[in-house]
Amino acid sequence: MALVYVVDDELNVRRIVKKAMENEDNEVHTFVTAEEALEEIEKRKPDLLFTDLSLPSMNGIQFLNELKNRAYSIPVIVVSSDTSPESMRSAFKEGIVDFLTKPFTPQEIRDAFELALREQDSIYKRAREIRRLIEEGEIGSAESLMSKLFSDFPDSPFPHFLYALLVAKDKPKLAIKHLKASLSLDGDFKEASDELKKLEE
């Protein structure tokens, strides 16, 4: 079960997305404004976020930018009637997973949700493989996979964390820099925080 947040000022849209996600056994919370969502995210970070671009007060692009500024690493799906090339480019530039055009169907919502989960699953699987290689001393293979991980997931904390594990023994200062970079992308990344404390002792 995933924790899903939906941010949209249209009641009908919130209801459609909420129902589609709850039918997949997810926990769903809805918000009218980006400010409300940010307040809740500070308390409890979701596994996935749906947001409109046309929101009262802070708009969707500003919201996405604020999420990045606060180093929240959350998969985001945009649902919007604003399909201008400029808006779509701006949204994808902020690192969204998918862009759904209103009106949309519940199936489109489910498909976008599955895509986002697959992307997350992909990075976790690759991260596990890299950790295994590091533990088994296969440094060359680990470095090769890690280079691809940095390229494919530039906004993820995992590449920096894994690189820190790789160089911690021989280059502790460099490892500390990468652990701090990892935590700047996800302040709740406990493994990175614990590893940083060990190196700074």
Side-chain angles (χ1 to χ4, degrees):
M1 181 179 75
L3 176 62
V4 180
Y5 288 176
V6 183
V7 189
D8 201 297
D9 59 343
E10 295 180 50
L11 177 59
N12 192 46
V13 171
R14 295 198 303 275
R15 283 176 172 168
I16 291 171
V17 178
K18 188 173 190 291
K19 184 176 180 181
M21 290 293 90
E22 286 181 338
N23 285 345
E24 299 294 316
D25 295 324
N26 298 300
E27 180 183 346
V28 186
H29 297 270
T30 64
F31 308 90
V32 175
T33 69
E35 289 85 350
E36 291 173 352
L38 284 168
E39 186 176 338
E40 187 61 28
I41 289 169
E42 286 182 3
K43 302 173 189 172
R44 192 180 181 202
K45 194 170 72 172
D47 300 302
L48 181 67
L49 175 71
F50 288 88
T51 185
D52 191 4
L53 293 183
S54 301
L55 296 170
S57 188
M58 182 187 296
N59 66 38
I61 298 299
Q62 292 170 330
F63 179 35
L64 293 171
N65 188 253
E66 185 62 23
L67 290 172
K68 183 180 285 187
N69 288 340
R70 297 190 188 191
Y72 291 130
S73 182
I74 304 169
V76 178
I77 296 168
V78 166
V79 287
S80 182
S81 55
D82 180 359
T83 58
S84 68
E86 182 180 350
S87 293
M88 294 183 76
R89 277 197 303 270
S90 296
F92 277 106
K93 187 177 179 181
E94 295 296 337
I96 68 168
V97 175
D98 204 353
F99 193 111
L100 298 183
T101 304
K102 295 179 182 179
F104 48 79
T105 66
Q107 185 59 51
E108 286 178 306
I109 290 292
R110 287 191 290 270
D111 289 345
F113 170 72
E114 289 173 6
L115 171 66
L117 289 189
R118 279 200 302 273
E119 289 211 355
Q120 286 296 96
D121 187 47
S122 172
I123 189 171
Y124 291 139
K125 282 182 179 176
R126 287 157 67 177
R128 285 195 297 270
E129 176 63 11
I130 290 169
R131 291 189 73 161
R132 183 188 68 78
L133 290 169
I134 292 172
E135 289 167 3
E136 294 179 0
E138 298 287 340
I139 304 305
S141 298
E143 286 179 336
S144 178
L145 287 178
M146 203 172 301
S147 176
K148 189 74 165 60
L149 202 66
F150 270 110
S151 174
D152 291 346
F153 301 96
D155 296 323
S156 170
F158 280 103
H160 289 285
F161 171 68
L162 292 168
Y163 189 75
L165 294 183
L166 183 66
V167 302
K169 185 177 179 180
D170 298 324
K171 301 176 181 178
K173 288 183 179 179
L174 181 59
I176 286 171
K177 286 182 180 179
H178 279 276
L179 288 169
K180 287 181 177 179
S182 178
L183 288 167
S184 75
L185 291 166
D186 185 351
D188 297 324
F189 195 170
K190 188 175 185 305
E191 283 186 288
S193 179
D194 290 345
E195 195 67 27
L196 181 61
K197 287 176 185 175
K198 287 180 190 176
L199 290 175
E200 290 184 330
E201 285 176 353

